[in-house]
């Protein structure tokens, strides 16, 4: 991520700034810090891991910066949508950042992640750039899918991110398929198949889970329970909203999804389990500040008090801010400076994305196949012929 | 499977049962349970798993016991497989084959007799292949498995039991047929008959009978429904000036409808008579043997189109004599 390049530019700053940088640098060594998760884990047919999580000052600062970047990106996307630069669907992740960031801290890019349509921050976590994000959202050729996918179809195969899927629940069997392939190839890596509380009731989840358990696939099903499936609260959709228990014969673990360290611990635990024993379900108790998508105000099925309450008590970035301050890793001002930097980075990426042109009309016909045999493809007017790839 | 360790077969009863129609007989013993995978009866689940494995780079062959059950998994075939390469601008390719028997069998009733060629062939991103003979089956299936894109491979239960002569070339281990090319099974001058799968056999029988009446029919075995070999079809129609399309599936929005439209677009001036479509009856498949018989095209149905009083009069060969 951009994280590492920023560290080197810090080194080049003048002495006065270097003083604060120096303090960061001496404590940004890998001196271990132990952090307690905010809540204990609850296990289903498994002994939960310890609440004590090993971390380092560097990791804490990374968590803060990465989540601040994700938060800023989503808020900027909101404005771009209202300015009609982003069209169609736009599902924002603000509030849920800790799940992506905590997960990345526990795994490698050889492990796979697949998710549904609320994918912008997961993509960023996997190493995608802001430019690729914004350009894709605005349908420009520098987007990660060259403008042909849109908000719901971000991919980054080279770092194990398989999308980006619009059909609720479909990503779960696909994720189990990735795990199948990892096992077939003897890769010793795992797949995290992420889904929401709405998708948790899908039949194909149970079909895939059954096969994953039968065949001991290294699949980890991660339910990001933000308590609302679009406008339907979990208690109206699920007879049993204890999603970590829904696997029945498959063990489960519930963690506080607003606590990046709880997420990290849960994912680390799950990875070890999946490699030895097959599938496990993780439930991340999280929350989204925005509505389901930009066409949903998000306040008709929940109260504004609830939303602001969560923001006050459980915001993931605030939690890290308090940890950083209490461990004396940075001052309030330094953290605010990071947030300003992040805001600037996002603004620059947006400006660059706006400069990116729309895809050439000939791109309408590319990538339909990998191998097209020179077959004719027709446009809407049926007069223009375009040969598809030979 | 012997050429590429990434190829594996997954489906119901493909392993220990030796295949519901014995297509995968002996494969479990030869390649082991890691590569010949028996699944529970959960099409949506195992099709999704197959597509996910293809995303990762394996080359799955997913068997549907019949394509009627593919409807349970059709979201994965269309939205997860067919469209992925496009939506990801080439990042996620899906080298998967979905295969199994398609269309009517014998007395299996309405829910087990539908032909899905038209549904799958309308979807960009998919390739749809339909073998008729043993040569087709071998060459097209190998091409499908080697192909880097999702392929729907529509077999036919009743054809499984039929034998066909094969050349030594077909038996060679490297034999492969091109995708997107139809085969002219029988050359002719007076009328073109297009068909696929079991109907190719019926079209050939009809052509034999027509030959005795002095009408020379050209029979085209489509082999590839998507991409459709429009150039072979049009070249033939330009030669014969008359076209009959034959298919087993439902008539509305069927393969014949697409071929008819294509010929109208490309070869209108060459037609001496309107295009005729032969298709299954526009009803769910009945069980009673006599009703079933009149629900699918028979050889007589093709022949009666050429009788006097019908629009498609073909007398050219007679005139030549």
């Amino acid at each position: 991520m951009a994280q590492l390049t920023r560290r080197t530019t810090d080194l080049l700053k003048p002495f006065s700034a270097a003083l604060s940088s120096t303090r960061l640098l001496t404590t940004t060594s890998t001196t271990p810090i132990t952090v307690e998760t905010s809540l204990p884990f609850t296990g289903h047919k498994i002994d939960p891991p310890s609440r004590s999580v090993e971390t380092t000052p560097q990791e804490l600062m990374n968590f803060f910066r990465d989540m601040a970047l994700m938060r800023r990106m989503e808020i900027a996307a909101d404005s771009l949508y209202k300015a009609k630069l982003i069209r169609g669907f736009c599902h924002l992740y603000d509030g849920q950042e800790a799940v992506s960031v905590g997960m990345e801290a526990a795994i490698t890019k050889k492990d796979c992640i697949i998710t549904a349509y609320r994918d912008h921050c997961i993509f960023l976590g996997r190493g995608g750039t802001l430019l690729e994000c914004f350009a894709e959202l605005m349908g420009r050729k520098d987007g990660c899918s060259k403008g042909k996918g849109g908000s719901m179809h971000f991919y980054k195969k080279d770092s194990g991110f398989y999308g980006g899927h619009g059909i609720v629940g479909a990503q779960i069997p696909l994720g189990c398929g990735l795990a199948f392939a990892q096992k077939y190839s003897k890769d010793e890596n795992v797949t995290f198949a992420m889904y929401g509380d709405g998708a948790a009731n899908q039949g194909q989840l149970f079909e895939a889970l059954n096969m994953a358990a039968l065949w001991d696939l290294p699949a980890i099903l991660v339910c990001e329970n933000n308590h609302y499936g679009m406008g339907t609260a979990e208690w109206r959709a699920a007879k049993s909203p204890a999603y970590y228990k829904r696997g029945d014969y498959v063990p489960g673990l519930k963690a506080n999804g607003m606590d990046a360290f709880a997420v990290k611990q849960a994912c680390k635990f799950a990875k070890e389990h999946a490699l030895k024993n097959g599938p496990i379900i993780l439930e991340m108790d999280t929350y989204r500040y925005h509505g389901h998508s930009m066409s949903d105000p998000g306040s008709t099925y929940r109260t504004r008090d609830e939303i602001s309450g969560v923001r006050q008590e459980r915001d993931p970035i605030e939690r890290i801010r308090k940890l950083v301050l209490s461990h004396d890793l940075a001052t309030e001002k330094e953290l605010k400076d990071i947030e300003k930097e992040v805001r600037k980075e996002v603004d620059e990426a947006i400006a660059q994305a706006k400069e990116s042109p729309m895809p050439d009309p000939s791109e309408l016909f590319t990538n339909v196949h990998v191998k097209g045999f020179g077959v004719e493809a027709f446009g809407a007017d049926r007069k223009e012929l375009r040969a598809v790839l030979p | 499977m012997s050429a590429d360790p990434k190829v594996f077969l997954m489906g119901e009863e493909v392993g220990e049962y030796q295949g519901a129609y014995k297509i995968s007989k002996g494969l479990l013993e030869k390649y082991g349970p890691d590569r010949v995978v028996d699944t529970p009866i959960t099409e949506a689940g195992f099709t999704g798993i197959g597509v996910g494995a293809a995303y990762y780079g394996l080359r799955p062959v997913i068997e549907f016991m019949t394509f009627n059950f593919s409807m349970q998994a059709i979201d994965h075939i269309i939205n997860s497989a067919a469209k992925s390469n496009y939506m990801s601008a080439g990042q996620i390719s899906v080298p998967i084959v979905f295969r199994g028997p398609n269309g009517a069998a014998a007395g299996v009733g309405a829910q087990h007799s539908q032909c899905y060629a038209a549904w799958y062939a309308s979807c960009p991103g998919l390739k749809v292949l339909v073998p008729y003979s043993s040569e087709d089956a071998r060459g097209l299936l190998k091409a499908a498995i080697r192909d880097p894109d999702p392929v729907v491979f529509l077999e036919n239960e009743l054809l499984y039991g039929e034998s066909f002569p094969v050349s030594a070339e077909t038996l060679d281990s490297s034999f492969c047929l091109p995708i997107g090319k139809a085969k002219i099974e029988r050359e002719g001058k007076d009328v073109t008959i297009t068909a696929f799968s079991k109907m190719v056999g019926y079209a050939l029988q009809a052509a034999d009978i027509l030959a005795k009446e002095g009408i020379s029919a050209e029979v085209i075995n489509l082999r590839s429904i998507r991409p459709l070999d429009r150039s072979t079809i049009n070249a033939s129609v330009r030669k014969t000036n008359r076209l009959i399309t034959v298919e087993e599936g439902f008539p509305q929005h069927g393969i014949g409808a697409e071929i008819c439209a294509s010929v109208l677009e490309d070869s209108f001036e060459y037609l001496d008579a309107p295009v005729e479509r032969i298709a299954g009856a526009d009803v769910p498949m009945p069980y009673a043997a006599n009703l079933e018989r009149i629900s699918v095209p028979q050889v007589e149905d093709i022949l009666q189109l050429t009788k006097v009083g019908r629009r498609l009069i073909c007398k050219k060969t007679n005139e030549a004599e």
Side-chain angles (χ1 to χ4, degrees):
Chain A
M1 277 188 261
Q3 201 37 50
L4 288 168
T5 43
R6 291 231 83 89
R7 193 87 29 230
T8 32
T9 52
D10 281 349
L11 280 167
L12 299 168
K13 280 201 185 123
F15 190 66
S16 52
L19 260 177
S20 43
S21 306
T22 322
R23 175 159 63 104
L24 275 169
L25 283 169
T26 50
T27 47
T28 320
S29 57
T30 46
T31 39
I33 302 178
T34 311
V35 164
E36 287 283 295
T37 63
S38 54
L39 294 169
F41 297 99
T42 10
H44 166 71
K45 301 203 171 159
I46 199 161
D47 288 324
S50 142
R51 280 174 73 175
S52 303
V53 186
E54 288 276 297
T55 183
T56 64
Q58 172 134 34
E59 184 171 77
L60 259 164
M61 294 307 296
N62 286 350
F63 275 15
F64 182 81
R65 192 179 203 284
D66 294 341
M67 287 201 278
L69 189 70
M70 290 175 177
R71 178 69 58 93
R72 191 67 231 143
M73 172 178 76
E74 296 294 72
I75 293 176
D78 173 299
S79 311
L80 288 173
Y81 193 89
K82 286 172 177 150
K84 296 201 198 301
L85 283 162
I86 300 177
R87 307 174 317 118
F89 292 125
C90 189
H91 306 86
L92 300 176
Y93 201 72
D94 51 316
Q96 300 183 210
E97 300 90 348
V99 179
S100 169
V101 159
M103 186 180 288
E104 290 295 344
I107 66 179
T108 71
K109 296 291 189 285
K110 291 253 183 325
D111 296 309
C112 301
I113 299 182
I114 193 168
T115 187
Y117 42 75
R118 207 175 294 280
D119 59 347
H120 310 160
C121 299
I122 315 266
F123 170 75
L124 216 61
R126 291 265 87 186
T129 67
L130 287 170
L131 173 63
E132 285 172 327
C133 259
F134 287 117
E136 187 60 35
L137 288 171
M138 293 196 273
R140 309 296 174 97
K141 67 190 256 261
D142 290 314
C144 55
S145 302
K146 302 203 186 126
K148 288 163 79 165
S151 165
M152 300 185 287
H153 305 296
F154 285 17
Y155 304 86
K156 197 163 167 51
K157 189 169 173 179
D158 58 16
S159 46
F161 180 51
Y162 287 84
H165 293 272
I167 307 297
V168 170
Q171 74 275 19
I172 300 159
L174 294 172
C176 292
L178 292 170
F180 179 95
Q182 286 172 317
K183 182 163 182 177
Y184 188 102
S185 314
K186 303 189 179 3
D187 278 353
E188 295 297 304
N189 294 120
V190 298
T191 297
F192 287 81
M194 304 174 74
Y195 59 99
D197 46 291
N201 299 312
Q202 276 261 317
Q204 58 187 320
L205 187 158
F206 297 96
E207 293 191 13
L209 192 63
N210 176 46
M211 285 182 269
L214 261 177
W215 303 331
D216 291 315
L217 302 182
I220 299 157
L221 271 63
V222 182
C223 179
E224 291 184 276
N225 182 9
N226 58 25
H227 308 281
Y228 296 93
M230 202 153 134
T232 305
E234 62 184 328
W235 56 269
R236 283 181 61 219
K239 185 74 178 168
S240 163
Y243 300 105
Y244 71 109
K245 288 189 185 166
R246 295 279 288 276
D248 182 19
Y249 44 83
V250 169
L253 189 71
K254 181 167 173 169
N256 177 9
M258 304 301 260
D259 176 351
F261 289 104
V263 173
K264 176 187 169 185
Q265 185 82 317
C267 291
K268 183 163 169 281
F269 178 77
K271 178 171 174 175
E272 279 162 23
H273 181 272
L275 283 171
K276 287 203 301 276
N277 304 110
I280 182 170
I281 297 185
L282 294 181
E283 182 183 337
M284 306 292 188
D285 188 344
T286 183
Y287 199 83
R288 54 164 162 82
Y289 296 138
H290 268 88
H292 163 73
S293 71
M294 286 304 298
S295 21
D296 169 29
S299 50
T300 57
Y301 47 87
R302 49 185 196 173
T303 62
R304 291 191 203 278
D305 283 343
E306 179 189 292
I307 306 170
S308 53
V310 174
R311 221 187 260 278
Q312 284 269 65
E313 309 290 315
R314 301 179 62 205
D315 185 272
I317 302 179
E318 289 316 302
R319 183 172 162 74
I320 301 297
R321 192 194 304 271
K322 290 191 186 96
L323 275 170
V324 167
L325 294 173
S326 72
H327 280 93
D328 211 21
L329 301 178
T331 63
E332 288 242 23
K333 180 179 181 305
E334 281 160 348
L335 291 179
K336 286 238 184 307
D337 283 344
I338 291 177
E339 285 177 303
K340 279 204 198 103
E341 254 174 56
V342 148
R343 192 176 178 129
K344 187 157 164 283
E345 210 177 306
V346 165
D347 288 342
E348 278 167 9
I350 293 178
Q352 216 187 335
K354 281 181 181 168
E355 294 298 304
S356 173
M358 292 203 156
D360 189 87
S362 65
E363 291 285 344
L364 181 66
F365 297 99
T366 58
N367 307 123
V368 176
H369 293 301
V370 172
K371 210 165 166 196
F373 302 106
V375 164
E376 297 163 342
F378 294 100
D381 59 5
R382 302 268 325 163
K383 289 197 185 69
E384 280 193 59
L385 298 166
R386 291 280 188 277
V388 183
L389 299 165
Chain B
M1 284 183 77
S2 71
D4 186 346
K6 294 208 176 98
V7 177
F8 70 93
L9 175 64
M10 180 180 266
E12 293 155 15
E13 311 297 1
V14 295
E16 296 191 8
Y17 197 82
Q18 308 293 321
Y21 299 98
K22 304 295 173 255
I23 303 299
S24 53
K25 186 161 146 191
L27 291 181
L28 175 64
E29 197 179 39
K30 192 168 178 189
Y31 296 108
D34 285 347
R35 295 185 69 195
V36 181
V37 184
D38 280 324
T39 65
I41 310 173
T42 49
E43 276 78 5
F46 69 73
T47 306
I49 286 180
V51 176
Y55 282 0
Y56 196 78
L58 297 186
R59 304 190 84 99
V61 177
I62 302 296
E63 176 172 309
F64 292 116
M65 200 177 281
T66 75
F67 264 89
N68 300 284
F69 316 135
S70 73
M71 290 199 286
Q72 304 231 304
I74 201 167
D75 176 62
H76 281 297
I77 299 173
I78 307 295
N79 281 324
S80 307
K83 298 178 183 171
S84 281
N85 198 60
Y86 192 83
M87 290 193 295
S88 68
Q91 255 193 88
I92 312 277
S93 66
V94 194
I96 195 168
V97 176
F98 304 104
R99 51 160 291 274
N102 174 62
V108 292
Q111 292 179 342
H112 289 74
S113 306
Q114 191 163 335
C115 173
Y116 292 88
W119 284 23
Y120 288 121
S122 70
C123 186
L126 281 184
K127 291 170 181 166
V128 180
L129 300 178
V130 193
Y132 160 63
S133 61
S134 302
E135 180 193 327
D136 288 355
R138 186 187 173 92
L140 292 176
L141 186 57
K142 289 182 73 166
I145 296 175
R146 290 178 190 182
D147 194 270
D149 291 309
V151 181
V152 170
F153 195 81
L154 303 173
E155 301 163 3
N156 183 290
E157 192 199 318
L158 299 174
L159 280 179
Y160 285 153
E162 244 182 81
S163 296
F164 297 84
V166 284
S167 63
E169 194 205 338
T170 311
L171 291 169
D172 185 79
S173 65
S174 60
F175 178 72
C176 214
L177 282 173
I179 293 180
K181 287 266 160 291
K183 181 183 181 194
I184 298 184
E185 293 282 349
R186 183 196 176 107
E187 285 197 16
K189 292 195 300 202
D190 297 329
V191 60
T192 300
I193 307 178
T194 64
F196 60 93
S197 189
K198 188 148 176 293
M199 294 292 118
V200 176
Y202 285 24
L204 287 170
Q205 285 179 50
D208 279 338
I209 297 171
L210 286 172
K212 296 196 183 75
E213 296 171 19
I215 297 173
S216 150
E218 178 148 292
V219 175
I220 301 182
N221 171 6
L222 291 174
R223 281 183 169 173
S224 181
I225 310 285
R226 187 176 182 106
L228 193 60
D229 191 349
R230 295 171 208 275
S231 55
T232 298
I233 298 168
N234 277 285
S236 175
V237 171
R238 287 176 182 210
K239 183 173 69 167
T240 66
N241 314 119
R242 287 170 179 83
L243 175 61
I244 300 174
T245 69
V246 185
E247 68 197 285
E248 221 181 25
F250 298 137
Q252 192 166 338
H253 310 297
I255 306 300
E258 173 63 30
I259 294 176
C260 177
S262 174
V263 163
L264 287 179
E265 282 169 357
D266 289 340
S267 311
F268 180 65
E269 303 80 15
Y270 293 82
L271 285 170
D272 284 346
V275 175
E276 292 285 359
R277 294 182 290 173
I278 299 279
D282 209 0
V283 298
M285 180 69 72
Y287 166 66
N290 61 326
L291 295 181
E292 187 182 54
R293 195 173 186 285
I294 57 177
S295 299
V296 278
Q298 305 295 338
V299 178
E300 306 87 75
D301 296 311
I302 305 174
L303 289 172
Q304 50 86 21
L305 281 177
T306 60
K307 297 282 177 271
V308 173
R310 303 304 300 261
R311 296 182 303 180
L312 197 81
I313 320 278
C314 330
K315 277 204 287 217
K316 279 196 337 228
T317 316
N318 280 342
E319 286 161 4
E321 284 162 10

